[in-house]
Amino acid sequence: MRVALFITCVNDTLFPGTGKAVVSLLRRLGCDVDFPAAQTCCGQMHVNTGYREEGVRLARHFTEVFAGYDAVVAPSGSCAAMVREQYPKLAKPGSRGAVAIAEVVPKVYELSEFLLDVLKVDDVGAYFPHRVTYHPTCHSLRGLHLGDRPTRLLRNVRGLELVPLPGAEECCGFGGTFAVKNPAVSAAMGADKTRNILDTGAEVICAADNSCLMHIGGTLSRQKTGVRTMHLAEILASTEEAQ
């Protein structure tokens, strides 16, 4: 398959290792992975704060950049949900933009969706000998409805002990611009999530969105807990040779 990596802004700017992990993992599974250098922001922040025209422009650019690929894979439930849920609402029905969106959007997948639903793989040959708990981020849980896809993949990682997270479906408090507009509430929600993570005794907290992990990780770090944050892709790309 000819697959394009949609890296997303947060990963490109702050967590490039996640993008590298996705490429390493998909190539290991036999995919031909491209990185279209012209890609930009999906427009989620713009649309969420009322800048609809900017969102339309970015959606148009996205469809131009990613046209022609068999699949577009994003290591982000948040940005994949933006493309899948919001893009069809941005274009005028029957317009060229609507046609382009209808062609590209169905090929956009969050990583765990692509692995399980397209490649039909639930054991990617990973090895990660650590105690891990998983946080289902809001967009991946409620927008994409990933369900147990990420945890199915984690359960098949050799050496990994997956422990349930109390209050797993509760928001961590990041919520994109929510954390900026409501910092006190965001911090309180983050503290609740951190307390639940510590109760598991996990060494690593895993999620499908680095934006949420950044928020959670900040709280964990300030409390000097020693618990690491890791994106799902990084765990799945890990092998015994790399340990």
Side-chain angles (χ1 to χ4, degrees), residues 10-11 15 18 75 133-135 137 172 174 197 204-221 227-235:
V10 167
N11 290 319
F15 303 99
T18 295
T133 193
Y134 177 77
H135 165 62
T137 63
C172 71
F174 179 69
I197 291 169
V204 176
I205 171 66
C206 170
D209 280 279
N210 271 325
S211 52
C212 298
L213 286 175
M214 178 174 64
H215 179 63
I216 294 169
T219 305
L220 289 168
S221 177
V227 179
R228 291 186 289 158
T229 59
M230 285 188 73
H231 191 281
L232 175 68
E234 295 173 73
I235 292 178

Side-chain angles (χ1 to χ4, degrees), residues 63 66-70 96-108:
T63 59
F66 290 105
Y69 287 97
D70 298 315
R96 290 176 57 187
V99 172
I101 286 171
E103 291 177 352
V104 174
V105 165
K107 300 177 182 179
V108 176

Side-chain angles (χ1 to χ4, degrees), residues 23-234:
V23 173
S24 174
L25 173 62
L26 294 183
R27 285 179 175 168
R28 192 168 82 210
L29 296 173
C31 295
D32 179 12
V33 186
D34 287 346
F35 177 75
Q39 62 181 281
T40 58
C41 177
C42 68
Q44 181 179 162
M45 292 290 190
H46 307 74
V47 173
N48 286 352
T49 48
Y51 293 92
R52 181 183 173 85
E53 289 306 312
E54 286 295 313
V56 171
R57 181 179 64 80
L58 289 166
R60 184 184 306 118
H61 181 70
F62 184 96
T63 59
E64 292 171 355
V65 169
F66 290 105
Y69 287 97
D70 298 315
V72 179
V73 178
S76 167
S78 177
C79 296
M82 169 63 189
V83 174
R84 297 237 299 267
E85 289 188 321
Q86 298 299 324
Y87 277 14
K89 299 175 183 177
L90 293 175
K92 294 180 180 179
S95 66
R96 290 176 57 187
V99 172
I101 286 171
E103 291 177 352
V104 174
V105 165
K107 300 177 182 179
V108 176
Y109 300 91
E110 182 275 334
L111 177 62
S112 69
E113 286 182 309
F114 182 70
L115 294 174
L116 285 162
D117 300 351
V118 180
L119 296 187
K120 308 296 182 183
V121 174
D122 61 7
D123 186 341
V124 299
Y127 175 75
F128 191 73
H130 300 282
R131 186 179 174 94
V132 177
T133 193
Y134 177 77
H135 165 62
T137 63
C138 291
H139 281 99
S140 64
L141 180 69
R142 300 175 179 88
L144 295 181
H145 304 288
L146 292 186
D148 68 346
R149 289 179 181 86
T151 52
R152 282 168 60 190
L153 291 161
L154 289 171
R155 287 191 185 98
N156 283 316
V157 174
R158 289 185 300 115
L160 187 149
E161 180 189 357
L162 183 64
V163 293
L165 176 63
E169 297 187 358
E170 296 174 8
C171 177
C172 71
F174 179 69
T177 56
F178 175 86
V180 177
K181 296 173 182 176
N182 304 278
V185 177
S186 174
M189 294 170 73
D192 288 344
K193 181 64 65 173
T194 298
R195 184 166 54 251
N196 288 339
I197 291 169
L198 294 177
D199 286 345
T200 69
E203 303 168 68
V204 176
I205 171 66
C206 170
D209 280 279
N210 271 325
S211 52
C212 298
L213 286 175
M214 178 174 64
H215 179 63
I216 294 169
T219 305
L220 289 168
S221 177
R222 286 190 293 274
Q223 294 181 13
K224 303 187 187 319
T225 64
V227 179
R228 291 186 289 158
T229 59
M230 285 188 73
H231 191 281
L232 175 68
E234 295 173 73

